[in-house]
Amino acid sequence: MATSVINTYIDPSMSEWMNEPHSTGTSIMACEFDGGVVIGADSRTTTGAYIANRVTDKLTRVTDHIYCCRSGSAADTQAIADIVTYHLNFHKMELGEQPLVKTAAAIFRELCYNYRDSLVAGILVAGWDKRDGGQIYSVPIGGMVQRQAVSIGGSGSTYVYGYVDATFKPNMNREEAVKFVTDTLTLAMLRDGSSGGVVRLGVITEKGVERSVILGDKLPKFYEG
Amino acid sequence: MSILAYNGGAVVAMKGKDCVAIATDKRFGIQAQTVSTNFPKVFRMGPTLFVGLPGLATDTQTVQQRLKFRLNLYELKENRLMGPKTFSAMLSNLLYERRFGPYFIEPVIAGIDPYTQQPYICNMDLIGCPNEPEDFVVSGTCSEQLYGMCEALWEPDLTPDELFETISQALVNAADRDAISGWGAIVYIIEKDKITEKHVKTRMD
């Protein structure tokens, strides 16, 4: 499990998992389609090897049309998302209209870059605005920003780079994009110990967001050895 | 990370009415990555004798091979089957021989004595200290979760069918709260005249 937070006090009387920080081991993904973006995540939070929450929601609202997918330290990403939500809400009132996705990404970047030595956060910013339609901005550890048509993140993403490169095609329709995200996340959850649970999805278009959940028994079946 | 948690895995055994059951998950992983979903940690050492060897996977294989070697020699020399209590003593000796450079496994033994028909379960730490309770034994990276499940679900004198349900639910629900156990399960129900092997369908995450 990847974490670079150092615990200075370890209570020897407590079990190992009580001394570990909460980490969203995670598989997250975002994919553009014509009309918007599809975002997806697994639902597992671990403290060490113990699964602290098996129904986590890692798709977090920052505005009605902009969501972020969180990976890395649960505490860090929750704190960052709260601050970005505050700033965007204020900005929306000053601007008089919905903020741009690239603005949200820029605010995430300000925090993730300037506090890079204290944070462990890998974030996908995805949403819809009326200027550029559906967009995805990846803000990995360190705080760079990169716009991409499809983006994966979290510890589980390493197992599916090949699958994504082989399967993604631009200008998919909504159903194809949802199936692509579901299949990719299922494959990642199959291999990564830090990812699992259910697949949470979000489809963001001009109309706003539609959330859904795919439970364990309804996930697509792949070769299991 | 603890060396006993490098590969992950879980084993549990329970006593029932004139029967015992032992169950294992099937994951083989390297830290967070799952490499195989067909690596059971329970091995049949005699007609009604099973041993579970969760822990470091290389030691699971090595101890299984060395144990089988010692058991074969015993059965050839003595011309009789080895009972579970004797097997437990032998395994304890094997592990303590390596007291200052141990095998990283914490074994679980389950069996029915071939001559007295008594059910027997036992677990040990990695240097061979045996524990022989009357109810259930657990081992692996989700041992704490397993203790909770077993304590809640187990009751004395379960029939073989009831024991199967109980041990399966204990293993599956404990492994579902452990990031490095699971990915399939096998349950063995051991009675004096038959062994039932069931592959339990589990979450594969």
Side-chain angles (χ1 to χ4, degrees), chain B residues 170-185:
Chain B
L171 179 64
V172 166
N173 289 295
D176 284 352
R177 274 286 181 176
D178 182 13
I180 51 178
S181 295
W183 277 266

Side-chain angles (χ1 to χ4, degrees), chain A residues 1 15-17 44 46 49-54 159 189-198 216 224-225, chain B residues 1-2 5 27 31-38 141 144-145 175-180 183 201 203-205:
Chain A
M1 267 118 270
S15 314
E16 218 179 86
W17 54 264
R44 180 171 287 185
T46 49
Y50 178 67
I51 300 171
N53 187 352
R54 59 192 180 110
Y159 304 101
M189 282 158 56
L190 204 61
R191 285 285 175 182
D192 182 28
S194 315
S195 304
V198 304
E224 280 163 1
Chain B
M1 184 184 249
S2 160
R27 181 181 181 270
Q31 296 196 300
Q33 176 177 17
T34 301
V35 174
S36 166
T37 54
N38 193 19
T141 49
E144 290 176 321
Q145 291 91 320
D176 284 352
R177 274 286 181 176
D178 182 13
I180 51 178
W183 277 266
K201 200 152 164 285
R203 303 181 63 95
M204 302 296 276
D205 62 2

Side-chain angles (χ1 to χ4, degrees), chain B residues 13-182:
Chain B
M14 288 183 174
K15 264 200 213 180
K17 183 128 186 78
D18 301 321
C19 60
V20 290
I22 187 166
T24 169
D25 73 324
K26 297 208 306 191
R27 181 181 181 270
F28 166 59
I30 297 174
Q31 296 196 300
Q33 176 177 17
T34 301
V35 174
S36 166
T37 54
N38 193 19
F39 190 77
K41 292 110 189 134
V42 161
F43 306 97
R44 188 174 185 192
M45 303 305 266
T48 53
L49 178 60
F50 284 75
V51 67
L53 301 167
L56 194 63
T58 178
D59 288 345
T60 300
Q61 292 186 322
T62 302
V63 171
Q64 191 262 329
Q65 288 162 8
R66 293 192 174 196
L67 215 46
K68 189 73 186 149
F69 176 81
R70 291 196 193 194
L71 178 126
N72 284 347
L73 264 177
Y74 176 99
E75 290 187 344
L76 285 167
K77 286 189 205 177
E78 305 256 330
N79 202 25
R80 61 189 174 102
L81 293 169
M82 188 187 262
K85 280 203 178 73
T86 314
F87 183 82
S88 177
M90 181 180 75
L91 178 51
S92 170
N93 174 258
L94 188 154
L95 294 175
Y96 198 80
E97 275 179 351
R98 291 279 167 267
R99 171 63 178 83
F100 298 110
Y103 290 114
F104 293 104
I105 50 157
E106 297 197 311
V108 165
I109 296 162
I112 292 183
D113 191 295
Y115 303 106
T116 68
Q117 260 63 259
Q118 277 287 89
Y120 177 83
I121 55 170
C122 174
N123 77 337
M124 282 170 213
D125 65 4
L126 78 175
I127 47 174
C129 173
N131 168 45
E132 296 166 328
E134 293 304 310
D135 42 16
F136 50 83
V137 287
V138 306
S139 189
T141 49
C142 55
S143 58
E144 290 176 321
Q145 291 91 320
L146 280 164
Y147 275 124
M149 287 306 307
C150 291
E151 202 65 61
L153 296 181
W154 188 88
E155 53 187 57
D157 293 323
L158 291 165
T159 68
D161 287 336
E162 291 171 331
L163 191 63
F164 168 73
E165 277 306 316
T166 305
I167 199 175
S168 303
Q169 288 296 318
L171 179 64
V172 166
N173 289 295
D176 284 352
R177 274 286 181 176
D178 182 13
I180 51 178
S181 295

Side-chain angles (χ1 to χ4, degrees), chain A residues 135-181:
Chain A
Q135 298 144 74
I136 299 163
Y137 294 88
S138 179
V139 185
I141 292 180
M144 68 173 264
V145 194
Q146 167 90 321
R147 183 177 175 190
Q148 294 178 292
V150 64
S151 194
I152 52 179
S155 57
S157 67
T158 54
Y159 304 101
V160 290
Y161 273 99
Y163 179 76
V164 167
D165 290 343
T167 318
F168 174 74
K169 32 187 229 303
N171 299 119
M172 286 188 277
N173 65 38
R174 181 200 164 117
E175 282 72 34
E176 288 173 321
V178 166
K179 179 174 190 307
F180 175 50
V181 170

Side-chain angles (χ1 to χ4, degrees), chain A residues 29-40 59 64-69 101 124-129 132-137 147-151 168 172-178 181 201-211:
Chain A
M29 181 168 176
C31 174
E32 272 181 31
F33 68 95
D34 73 82
V37 293
V38 177
I39 55 173
L59 305 175
D64 286 341
H65 287 82
I66 307 172
Y67 270 62
C68 68
C69 309
V101 187
L124 297 178
V125 188
W128 183 95
D129 62 41
D132 289 310
Q135 298 144 74
I136 299 163
Y137 294 88
R147 183 177 175 190
Q148 294 178 292
V150 64
S151 194
F168 174 74
M172 286 188 277
N173 65 38
R174 181 200 164 117
E175 282 72 34
E176 288 173 321
V178 166
V181 170
L201 291 169
V203 181
I204 311 175
T205 59
E206 185 178 5
K207 297 198 201 76
V209 77
E210 289 161 58
R211 297 293 313 265

